Amino acid sequence: MRHFTSVFDLPDLANALKMACEIKSNPFGFQHLGKNKTMVLIFFNSSLRTRLSTQKAAMNLGMNTMVLNVNQDGWRMESELGVIMDGDKPEHLREAIPVIGRFCDIIGVRAFANFESREDDYAEKILNQFIQLSGVPVVSMEAATRHPLQSFADLLTIEEYKTKPRPKVVLSWAPHPKVLPQAVPNSFVEWMRQTDYEFVVTHPKGYELSPMFMGDLKVEYDQDRAFESADFIYAKNWSSYTEYGEILSKDMSWTVTTEKMALTDHARFMHCLPVRRNMIVTDEVLDGPSSIVVDEAENRVYSAQTVLKMILEG
Ligand code: SN0
């Protein structure tokens, strides 16, 4: 594997999951792979778990890491071609990317959707420039349309907690005060469709995800029906794809509550974090025994480490 931007970059998902479990039980077993290798992590957007877990994963493999927060400590970067650079952006991605590539062996990039144009976001303009211009392997740490390291950790967590071979997993939209990308739900759908789980997506009308991710998957618009006999509730907010970047609803009747969790089959509650308490989910659910959000976050280390190990092994 050279680059990692989606589930389809993994040569074999079942094998990758097996490797993640092995790494989790023996995290320092492959330290030789990263000796004298450097990973640069570039952030165009904020991060807590992705930054720390990816650095930890690289360090577990014996790598060195360097972090650049582009919009805080770097030069502001232009990404459009053919512009007269007379504004507030002194550096162009076309030089910055190959320069960064000369300083390291792997680049991790976080570049969210910027919601100026759906076409540009869904073309993954920033991520693809890194792939084209850096000369080194590139790992997505959440791009405009996907968050594959998160979904890998989510799948690993479900595998650890499932009590039946074919659990019912529900992705539920929930309200949020701000415009959020579709990357996490897109990716979650993409990874769940690679499993044989019973998988249900529920959201209010107008929040349909891109057909590119949903394929022939049907939406259950009744959240209560979707929750019936579920084993895992994966809550997430996203903004509209069809009315791109719009907030169409803040309907608090979609918040995950103890009453809603009671409709499930003792389901576990999952969220990628950071989570808006008492908007997405009540304190009672998040602080209660069904919540596995911290274990889910811990697994970010092992999903990243599996990916980095596969890249280091070529
Ligand atoms: C990001 C998102 O894609 O939804 C990252 C999740 C891993 N989440 C946010 O930006 C949350 C920001 C907020 O204001 O709650």
Side-chain angles (χ1 to χ4, degrees):
M1 186 170 73
R2 180 154 173 90
H3 304 291
F4 179 72
T5 66
S6 87
V7 68
F8 303 112
D9 291 318
L10 295 175
D12 183 298
L13 179 55
N15 192 49
L17 270 170
K18 209 169 126 237
M19 195 188 288
C21 294
E22 277 166 35
I23 288 172
K24 188 166 181 173
S25 63
N26 180 23
F28 307 114
F30 308 95
Q31 288 239 319
H32 59 283
L33 284 175
K35 191 174 187 310
N36 295 331
K37 304 265 187 203
T38 300
M39 178 165 190
V40 167
L41 289 82
I42 310 273
F43 290 93
F44 290 88
N45 313 92
S46 307
S47 171
L48 184 150
R49 279 149 293 277
T50 299
R51 172 179 323 227
L52 297 178
S53 64
T54 310
Q55 273 190 277
K56 176 70 173 135
M59 293 188 302
N60 285 355
L61 288 166
M63 300 186 84
N64 297 306
T65 62
M66 302 192 288
V67 180
L68 180 65
N69 303 307
V70 173
N71 294 323
Q72 284 135 45
D73 17 83
W75 300 110
R76 291 199 22 101
M77 275 196 222
E78 182 58 65
S79 58
E80 292 304 313
L81 287 178
V83 290
I84 297 171
M85 290 174 60
D86 61 354
D88 61 351
K89 294 176 177 166
E91 176 108 16
H92 202 290
L93 275 180
R94 281 191 77 80
E95 296 79 55
I97 293 172
V99 168
I100 294 163
R102 298 288 172 99
F103 299 153
C104 66
D105 304 279
I106 302 178
I107 301 181
V109 190
R110 165 161 286 194
F112 289 179
N114 63 21
F115 292 110
E116 276 162 27
S117 139
R118 184 171 95 175
E119 207 186 345
D120 285 0
D121 286 344
Y122 274 70
E124 290 289 5
K125 274 186 136 179
I126 305 279
L127 182 68
N128 283 329
Q129 288 202 59
F130 274 88
I131 289 172
Q132 280 151 21
L133 301 171
S134 69
V136 298
V138 172
V139 174
S140 164
M141 301 193 300
E142 186 172 345
T145 63
R146 292 178 175 89
H147 192 359
L149 288 175
Q150 178 67 50
S151 312
F152 189 177
D154 297 336
L155 178 55
L156 180 58
T157 310
I158 294 171
E159 283 294 301
E160 288 174 338
Y161 273 96
K162 73 179 189 188
T163 53
K164 48 185 94 146
R166 198 168 169 264
K168 178 175 175 183
V169 179
V170 178
L171 168 65
S172 178
W173 181 93
H176 193 283
K178 283 180 46 191
V179 173
L180 293 192
Q182 294 111 30
V184 171
N186 282 345
S187 229
F188 190 69
V189 168
E190 195 164 70
W191 285 66
M192 287 301 111
R193 290 181 65 206
Q194 300 304 307
T195 70
D196 59 2
Y197 302 160
E198 182 183 348
F199 179 52
V200 176
V201 178
T202 183
H203 57 69
K205 291 241 156 74
Y207 281 98
E208 290 74 18
L209 294 165
S210 162
M212 179 179 147
F213 291 93
M214 289 295 284
D216 54 10
L217 210 66
K218 293 268 174 303
V219 177
E220 171 57 72
Y221 291 100
D222 182 338
Q223 192 192 32
D224 286 357
R225 277 211 4 224
F227 274 41
E228 273 167 26
S229 72
D231 299 294
F232 294 89
I233 299 297
Y234 192 99
K236 182 71 185 90
N237 173 267
W238 61 90
S239 60
S240 177
Y241 171 77
T242 45
E243 292 180 52
Y244 193 61
E246 297 292 320
I247 296 176
L248 306 175
S249 165
K250 289 184 192 170
D251 183 355
M252 298 288 274
S253 74
W254 282 76
T255 302
V256 179
T257 61
T258 302
E259 293 69 40
K260 292 213 182 213
M261 290 299 282
L263 300 169
T264 70
D265 186 9
H266 308 282
R268 303 290 188 165
F269 176 82
M270 299 178 71
H271 189 280
C272 62
L273 307 181
V275 66
R276 300 280 188 144
R277 282 174 176 257
N278 305 310
M279 291 245 16
I280 300 281
V281 56
T282 59
D283 290 333
E284 199 179 18
V285 172
L286 195 58
D287 297 328
S290 67
S291 173
I292 54 172
V293 297
V294 175
D295 297 304
E296 184 183 352
E298 183 196 339
N299 280 337
R300 295 293 309 277
V301 173
Y302 309 111
S303 69
Q305 201 172 329
T306 304
V307 164
L308 295 179
K309 176 176 180 279
M310 288 169 79
I311 291 174
L312 287 170
E313 286 171 337

